[in-house]
Amino acid sequence: MATEDDYTAQPFVPDRGGLPALRAAAAECRGCPLHRAATQTVFGAGKASARVMLVGEQPGDQEDRQGKPFVGPAGHLLDRALAEAGLDPADAYVTNAVKHFKFTRAEPRKRRIHKAPTLRETAACGPWPAAELDRVEPEPIVVLGATAGKALLGSSFRATQVRGTAVLRAEDREAAYRGLLSDLKVAARALA
């Protein structure tokens, strides 16, 4: 059995079973130290028959507290963009490249602020989204940011400056949102 020092989730990922088996196994993952400070594992959500997969970076504060992906501000923004793009959320499986919330505190006992996972932490979690892809077999996959792109496509993945930034943290949020909407429309056309 691997230890946390090995930085890999692979020993925790079951070879068999569907999404419920993966979700249960992910709750016990100790493939890197991120699980220590997180409230819980935040696994993907949606049906195994989903036609499109949306992959974000990592859970945020609200996702960590609720145990569900995309329920915080980024989730509300994504819901708006899905509706505008004509994508039915029931046809989408949403997940993150990293399954635990990495954060720093603004001040002791204050709000938890998102901190980007390292390449090593992202790679350690890589077997989870790979297993989700294997179980869901989506038609298009939409990566939501550079971390998700690197997790799925390798460390050489590069996005444009705006497209590689989360919409909520972008300097020009409107331009970043238009980029997200444009990408979701491409996915919607692919499903039509």
Side-chain angles (χ1 to χ4, degrees):
M1 184 61 124
T3 67
E4 286 177 5
D5 295 333
D6 295 331
Y7 269 76
T8 181
Q10 191 60 56
F12 300 93
V13 179
D15 293 331
R16 296 186 186 150
L19 292 173
L22 287 177
R23 184 174 288 106
E28 302 303 318
C29 186
R30 304 296 181 257
C32 80
L34 290 182
H35 72 89
R36 291 185 200 140
T39 304
Q40 59 194 310
T41 302
V42 179
F43 201 72
K47 299 176 188 171
S49 61
R51 296 180 62 207
V52 62
M53 182 179 281
L54 307 167
V55 184
E57 176 183 79
Q58 70 167 334
D61 182 62
Q62 289 303 310
E63 290 80 4
D64 180 58
R65 293 177 193 280
Q66 296 181 41
K68 298 175 186 173
F70 294 95
V71 293
H76 298 302
L77 188 89
L78 182 60
D79 288 344
R80 181 178 132 212
L82 286 170
E84 284 186 49
L87 281 169
D88 183 353
D91 283 337
Y93 182 87
V94 294
T95 193
N96 286 296
V98 175
K99 305 302 182 196
H100 291 105
F101 179 40
K102 183 175 181 178
F103 61 91
T104 186
R105 291 198 185 273
E107 296 176 27
R109 297 184 314 197
K110 294 283 184 176
R111 185 170 76 101
R112 302 182 307 171
I113 299 172
H114 168 273
K115 185 174 180 183
T118 66
L119 186 56
R120 187 175 184 199
E121 291 160 343
T122 303
C125 217
W128 292 117
E132 288 171 296
L133 279 167
D134 182 59
R135 294 341 188 261
V136 176
E137 298 180 350
E139 294 169 45
I141 301 165
V142 180
V143 295
L144 304 171
T147 298
K150 288 177 183 181
L152 296 179
L153 303 168
S155 62
S156 63
F157 175 83
R158 297 290 181 263
T160 63
Q161 188 175 4
V162 171
R163 286 258 175 82
T165 305
V167 174
L168 293 176
R169 292 186 297 276
E171 284 183 33
D172 185 347
R173 288 184 185 183
E174 191 56 38
Y177 182 79
R178 285 192 308 271
L180 169 63
L181 186 57
S182 175
D183 291 345
L184 291 176
K185 286 179 178 180
V186 169
R189 284 192 299 273
L191 294 174

